[in-house]
Amino acid sequence: MLGIILITFIGMASAYAGYTQWGTGWGIATGVMVMIIGWVILGLLLRKASMVRQLKIQQIMEDGQNKVNRQVEMFSRRPQSSMNGIRPIIEKLQRDATLRALEATEDFKPLYIWTPMLKKQINSMKVQLYFQLKDNKMVDALLPQSMMMDPQTVAIKLVRMYKKDDVKIDKFFKRVINRFRGDTRAFVACVYAWIKLKKDDPKSALDALLNAKKLSDHPVLLDNIDHLTNGKLKHFSNSGFNEMWYALMLEEPKMKPQRQRGRMF
């Protein structure tokens, strides 16, 4: 908001100066040109400042994932090991990284006064982080203040509406699905279709997938359309979306059995 006020003031001042020097036409042109230049400069500065903060959060999450990967690798080397034994360690590492990432989002606060939409963008990020922490109270509080332009945020909104048996879920889906194209459209449609199948409404699930097919040829979408068309409801699967799907915690990823290792005499 401060950016709008400041650039408008500078533009008007420049227009007045141009008017006094060269007349009305040049005054207006000067004011408009100054405002355009001002928006470009402000946009570049804000983008650079935001990128630095985003990279910091990304690094926190990557460091956390690297720690998880190292633990899994070490644990898998043990003979007759079970992934259940390492699950608490992995969950703690993931939780610690998520909490650090949430703390880092506070670095964006000084930028909010310059652009009114940035806060909603960061709220979308917070929604995903709090969702990972299973803090549904914070998720529900932040969702109305978030931008529904990110597929993962929209998917989380669908999940929360499903969990609360919100009757407005169909209306919400129809409102947001046309914002997406390609793979993101397929993902959101498949999440919604999974929910409709759980609600014993395969027709609505198939209709949503067929509508998404108009602008997406994602293989998971096409496979699910084939399954539902042929009445193979139990074959419906969103596992092909990998982490995007499993991050919604609607299903547990299937773990491959660990091969027993050891010396044979």
Side-chain angles (χ1 to χ4, degrees):
M1 184 61 68
L2 182 59
I4 296 175
I5 296 173
L6 182 61
I7 290 175
T8 301
F9 175 78
I10 294 175
M12 292 178 65
S14 300
Y16 180 76
Y19 163 73
T20 58
Q21 290 291 324
W22 305 298
T24 304
W26 281 107
I28 295 174
T30 301
V32 171
M33 184 62 66
V34 168
M35 289 180 68
I36 292 173
I37 294 173
W39 277 118
V40 171
I41 294 174
L42 179 62
L44 291 173
L45 292 174
L46 288 175
R47 185 178 301 175
K48 182 177 180 180
S50 295
M51 185 62 67
V52 170
R53 290 159 172 80
Q54 290 174 5
L55 288 175
K56 178 181 177 180
I57 294 174
Q58 182 179 339
Q59 188 62 54
I60 290 172
M61 299 305 292
E62 287 180 356
D63 289 345
Q65 187 59 50
N66 289 337
K67 291 179 181 178
V68 168
N69 292 340
R70 286 196 294 270
Q71 287 291 332
V72 171
E73 184 179 355
M74 291 171 58
F75 199 78
S76 64
R77 293 174 182 173
R78 303 176 185 176
Q80 300 181 348
S81 59
S82 169
M83 287 305 296
N84 290 330
I86 196 177
R87 189 179 298 276
I89 300 174
I90 292 176
E91 290 178 351
K92 184 180 185 306
L93 290 173
Q94 291 174 332
R95 179 178 177 81
D96 290 345
T98 304
L99 288 172
R100 290 198 302 273
L102 271 171
E103 184 179 355
T105 61
E106 297 300 305
D107 294 344
F108 284 92
K109 280 188 174 181
L111 304 180
Y112 292 165
I113 60 174
W114 294 101
T115 171
M117 299 305 295
L118 181 60
K119 186 175 182 179
K120 285 194 171 185
Q121 294 175 11
I122 302 307
N123 281 343
S124 298
M125 185 187 302
K126 287 182 177 182
V127 162
Q128 297 179 37
L129 294 172
Y130 277 115
F131 189 80
Q132 292 179 31
L133 294 173
K134 300 181 181 180
D135 189 340
N136 293 328
K137 184 177 180 180
M138 285 300 301
V139 170
D140 292 342
L142 287 169
L143 276 171
Q145 307 170 45
S146 304
M147 290 186 67
M148 291 294 135
M149 301 300 293
D150 178 86
Q152 202 72 23
T153 305
V154 170
I156 289 172
K157 173 74 171 179
L158 288 170
V159 171
R160 292 302 302 145
M161 296 181 84
Y162 163 62
K163 294 290 186 180
K164 295 188 293 184
D165 202 22
D166 193 330
V167 296
K168 296 180 181 179
I169 188 171
D170 299 328
K171 184 177 180 181
F172 170 74
F173 172 75
K174 290 176 182 178
R175 188 174 76 247
V176 301
I177 187 60
N178 290 326
R179 300 174 185 176
F180 301 101
R181 302 288 185 274
D183 293 355
T184 56
R185 185 182 181 91
F187 173 67
V188 173
C190 285
V191 171
Y192 175 77
W194 184 94
I195 291 172
K196 298 310 289 184
L197 289 177
K198 292 297 180 181
K199 294 286 187 179
D200 295 322
D201 189 1
K203 182 182 182 303
S204 294
L206 180 57
D207 288 345
L209 298 183
L210 290 173
N211 180 57
K213 185 184 176 183
K214 297 175 183 178
L215 296 172
S216 174
D217 59 355
H218 194 284
V220 174
L221 174 68
L222 299 181
D223 286 347
N224 283 334
I225 289 175
D226 182 64
H227 295 324
L228 297 190
T229 302
N230 292 289
K232 300 178 180 179
L233 305 188
K234 293 184 178 180
H235 289 79
F236 182 97
S237 175
N238 288 336
S239 61
F241 290 110
N242 301 314
E243 185 56 32
M244 285 184 70
W245 168 246
Y246 292 119
L248 298 176
M249 293 178 279
L250 293 172
E251 291 181 341
E252 287 286 337
K254 295 179 180 179
M255 303 298 296
K256 294 181 179 180
Q258 295 290 322
R259 182 178 299 175
Q260 293 186 1
R261 299 182 182 182
R263 294 184 180 180
M264 299 180 62
F265 295 95

